[in-house]
Amino acid sequence: MMYLWFVIAGTVAGLCAGLFGVGGGMVIVPALIWILAAYGLPQDIVPHVAVGTALATIILTSISSMSAHHKRGGVRWEIFKHMSKGLVLGSLVGAWVATLIDGASLQAILGGGAVLMAIKMLFFPNKERTDVPLPTPYKQGFAGIIIGLLSAIFGIGGGSLTVPYLSQNGVPMRQAVGTSAACGLPIAIAGALGFVWFGQGDVSQLNLDGLLGFVHIGAFISISIVSFVMAKVGAKLAHTLPAQTLKRAFGMLLMVVGVQLVVSGLL
């Protein structure tokens, strides 16, 4: 039954990624927190495993999305080059910081992130500005550190941070989205490896099967495969369904989920 829930989580995450352009991490992290807790994983490490596993699942979807955008000329590789080192460094630091936070507090932080994401989706859509110059390579690298750090803590591919940053700094929206998709790959790889490495000590002491550091191998495989397939389905549905209405509904759902995570984490 646990693997059935992983498949359901991957299905929803993939559909949302295709429909709304948001990373599946915002769906996968809360889902894994509930699934893993329900099946007896120690509460102290549940949020850490949820984030680490979510980052690992983003690797495959990032490769697929990056390839699709590259074929359409939507990836600004010079920006990726300047940001990627910062993204890797920030993701590794973010994974380390997350492992220093106790389970309940991290869950509350994750809930707060979901609430902020919901508010952004509902009230602050991305706006494009092409009348400003692109930041210097140094500033792009520094932005990569901040984006990578926050993305690793929240278990996301960074699209909700990278797209607004680029679109507000002279990059056309189509290229901002494509470049953000490419930037999700170093975030996911470095973040997942960070959670594997920094979680080894905690997991080895608990003697739990199926975990590689703070990454649940079964969940990683199940969710990766299903979300990869369903993201393509969601992208097709986006052209036939009232996407804006669905996006508002998803924002409200994310708000409810975030508040629940905050409350349960603080109590």
Side-chain angles (χ1 to χ4, degrees), residues 185-198:
L185 185 58
I187 290 173
I189 293 175
L193 289 176
F195 274 93
V196 168
W197 178 260
F198 295 119

Side-chain angles (χ1 to χ4, degrees), residues 11 46 70 123 170 179-180 193:
T11 299
V46 163
H70 172 65
F123 305 110
T179 307
S180 173
L193 289 176

Side-chain angles (χ1 to χ4, degrees), residues 20 22 116-129 159-160 163-165 167-168 173 177 244 247-248:
F20 312 124
V22 300
L116 291 175
M117 181 64 173
I119 292 173
K120 179 182 179 299
M121 288 184 69
L122 291 169
F123 305 110
F124 300 99
N126 293 327
K127 295 182 179 180
E128 179 181 321
R129 285 194 63 188
S160 57
V163 172
Y165 168 73
S167 63
Q168 286 289 307
M173 184 61 71
V177 172
Q244 193 59 38
K247 191 170 186 177
R248 292 193 183 98

Side-chain angles (χ1 to χ4, degrees), residues 69-106:
H69 284 289
H70 172 65
K71 289 178 181 177
R72 294 170 174 81
V75 180
R76 294 277 296 272
W77 290 109
E78 78 281 9
I79 297 176
F80 173 83
K81 178 182 176 182
H82 295 147
M83 293 186 66
S84 58
K85 293 178 182 178
L87 292 169
V88 170
L89 175 60
S91 297
L92 290 171
V93 173
W96 172 66
V97 169
T99 59
L100 299 178
I101 304 172
D102 68 272
S105 298
L106 181 59

Side-chain angles (χ1 to χ4, degrees), residues 63-261:
I63 292 173
S64 174
S65 180
M66 176 180 66
S67 175
H69 284 289
H70 172 65
K71 289 178 181 177
R72 294 170 174 81
V75 180
R76 294 277 296 272
W77 290 109
E78 78 281 9
I79 297 176
F80 173 83
K81 178 182 176 182
H82 295 147
M83 293 186 66
S84 58
K85 293 178 182 178
L87 292 169
V88 170
L89 175 60
S91 297
L92 290 171
V93 173
W96 172 66
V97 169
T99 59
L100 299 178
I101 304 172
D102 68 272
S105 298
L106 181 59
Q107 181 171 318
I109 291 171
L110 294 170
V115 170
L116 291 175
M117 181 64 173
I119 292 173
K120 179 182 179 299
M121 288 184 69
L122 291 169
F123 305 110
F124 300 99
N126 293 327
K127 295 182 179 180
E128 179 181 321
R129 285 194 63 188
T130 56
D131 59 336
V132 293
L134 192 66
T136 63
Y138 174 80
K139 290 182 179 179
Q140 293 175 42
F142 181 75
I145 294 175
I146 302 302
I147 291 170
L149 189 149
L150 293 174
S151 298
I153 292 176
F154 290 109
I156 59 177
S160 57
L161 302 172
T162 309
V163 172
Y165 168 73
L166 293 178
S167 63
Q168 286 289 307
N169 284 280
V171 180
M173 184 61 71
R174 185 176 65 86
Q175 293 181 345
V177 172
T179 307
S180 173
C183 289
L185 185 58
I187 290 173
I189 293 175
L193 289 176
F195 274 93
V196 168
W197 178 260
F198 295 119
Q200 285 181 330
D202 299 79
V203 171
S204 62
Q205 292 176 9
L206 295 171
N207 194 28
L208 297 171
D209 294 329
L211 294 180
L212 182 61
F214 283 140
V215 174
H216 192 290
I217 300 302
F220 159 61
I221 295 173
S222 303
I223 294 173
S224 292
I225 295 173
V226 177
S227 63
F228 178 81
V229 174
M230 296 309 296
K232 298 181 184 297
V233 176
K236 292 181 180 179
L237 290 176
H239 296 283
T240 59
L241 297 176
Q244 193 59 38
T245 301
L246 290 173
K247 191 170 186 177
R248 292 193 183 98
F250 178 68
M252 292 302 298
L253 175 62
L254 206 56
M255 179 75 74
V256 173
V257 168
V259 170
Q260 195 278 334
L261 288 176

Side-chain angles (χ1 to χ4, degrees), residues 41-54:
L41 199 70
Q43 191 62 45
D44 284 347
I45 67 168
V46 163
H48 303 85
V49 175
V51 174
T53 305

